Every structure is written in C-alpha cells, then in structure tokens.
C-alpha cells in the first residue's frame, strides 16, 4: 500500500503551472528539498500513470488528497508551508 499524497497550490502565474504537487507519501523533507529529486511534468503524463487522479483535477487551490488503504483518494487537511 502506497499512501500517495497530492495537493494544489495557487498556480505560478510566471510559469505554466496547474498548482498540483504529487508525492508517493514516503518522501521526507530532506528528500523533497533536494531539487534533483523533483521534476515538472505535464498533467496528462501523471494522469496516464494514475487515472484515479483525473476527477480531482478541478479541485480548488488549497485542496489536498491522500489515498487510503482501500485505494480511494480522501480529502486531507491542507497546511501550506510558511515561506
């Protein structure tokens, strides 16, 4: 079972950005803060890997989802990092 976590931030207006961030759920802060471990991908590519994401894509910024043990995405509390 993989926890898979995704959330949507306000899109970056200076770059074509949907605002979506996707994680396996196993990353720690040190891993994610290393830019060699992150990438920018087209949403279509991500949805081809996991079509269960498609119904969530219209969610507003400030929304988060986590896949539960039964494989269903459930709403999750979204707490943005303070900059």
């Amino acid at each position: 079972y993989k926890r898979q976590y995704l959330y949507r931030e306000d899109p970056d207006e200076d770059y074509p950005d949907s605002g979506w961030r996707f994680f396996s759920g196993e990353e720690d802060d040190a891993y994610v803060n290393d830019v060699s471990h992150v990438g920018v991908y087209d949403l279509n590519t991500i949805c081809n890997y996991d079509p269960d994401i498609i119904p969530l894509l219209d969610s507003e910024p400030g929304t988060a989802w986590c896949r539960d043990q039964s494989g269903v995405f459930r709403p999750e509390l979204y707490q943005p990092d303070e900059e």
Side-chain angles (χ1 to χ4, degrees), residues 3 11-12 15 20-22 25-26 28-29 35-36 39-40 45 48 50 56 58 60 63 67-71 74-75:
R3 184 172 148 82
D12 184 341
Y15 186 78
W20 281 107
R21 309 297 182 251
F22 300 92
E26 297 179 13
D28 61 17
D29 285 342
V35 295
S36 70
V40 176
T45 301
N48 281 323
D50 189 350
L56 309 176
D58 287 332
E60 294 293 323
T63 304
R67 191 184 301 269
D68 67 16
Q69 288 184 335
S70 67
R74 303 281 182 206

Side-chain angles (χ1 to χ4, degrees), residues 25-74:
E26 297 179 13
E27 304 91 346
D28 61 17
D29 285 342
Y31 183 88
V32 174
N33 289 332
D34 181 340
V35 295
S36 70
H37 294 145
V38 297
V40 176
Y41 299 92
D42 187 281
L43 274 178
N44 187 54
T45 301
I46 302 299
C47 292
N48 281 323
Y49 283 115
D50 189 350
D52 292 345
I53 293 169
I54 295 170
L56 309 176
L57 294 179
D58 287 332
S59 300
E60 294 293 323
T63 304
W65 300 88
C66 184
R67 191 184 301 269
D68 67 16
Q69 288 184 335
S70 67
V72 176
F73 278 107
R74 303 281 182 206

